[in-house]
Amino acid sequence: MLFRSSNWVIIAERNHSNQTFDASYFTATDGWTNETKRDENLYIHNHKLTHLTCVYYRNIVPGAGAIEFIDPRGSMGFISLDKTTGFNIFRMQPEVGDLLIFPGWLLHYVHPNKTDTVRKIIGANVMLNDDARAPVLDMSSRKTGESIMRLG
């Protein structure tokens, strides 16, 4: 169910009701499962070659490894959501049935599982096809030295 394109249309339309979406806008590039046993964790990483990363929690109990997100833009002078740190950190303890969708560039890691219950997830990376994000610039008539920026 996680990889069906029609589900991405439903999710997109719920969050961006002023736009229309088509299943062809989304491509699931890869998927995986992960089981984290007692005292195991996942080190900090991102999915930089994808637009969206999705994690569905099949089995998890409190204490079975919270996920923590670190927004690297905070360290570049952007406004921090967390006033106690110099960069944005968000930690959450997912529950069974949660589906997290976040930008692939967002740094994240999983805290150690401190329970005897195996933490089970299904993950997927999703690309937004170019025609769904922005019109492609026609560069064929561009002259050398001419700006490619659109200002209006």
Side-chain angles (χ1 to χ4, degrees), residues 52-70:
L52 300 172
T53 297
C54 312
V55 179
Y56 174 75
Y57 290 85
R58 292 180 47 224
N59 192 47
I60 190 166
V61 296
I67 187 168
E68 190 155 320
F69 297 96
I70 302 171

Side-chain angles (χ1 to χ4, degrees), residues 72-127:
R73 298 174 300 174
S75 63
M76 299 183 329
F78 287 82
I79 296 171
S80 176
L81 297 176
D82 180 353
K83 302 297 183 209
T84 64
T85 64
F87 49 88
N88 297 331
I89 297 175
F90 177 75
R91 180 189 299 183
M92 72 171 290
Q93 178 61 59
E95 297 176 1
V96 171
D98 282 352
L99 172 64
L100 303 184
I101 302 173
F102 51 92
W105 54 261
L106 192 60
L107 295 169
H108 56 284
Y109 63 97
V110 177
H111 289 265
N113 181 353
K114 295 299 182 187
T115 74
D116 291 324
T117 301
V118 176
R119 177 184 165 273
K120 297 178 182 181
I121 64 101
I122 300 172
N125 287 323
V126 176
M127 295 295 289

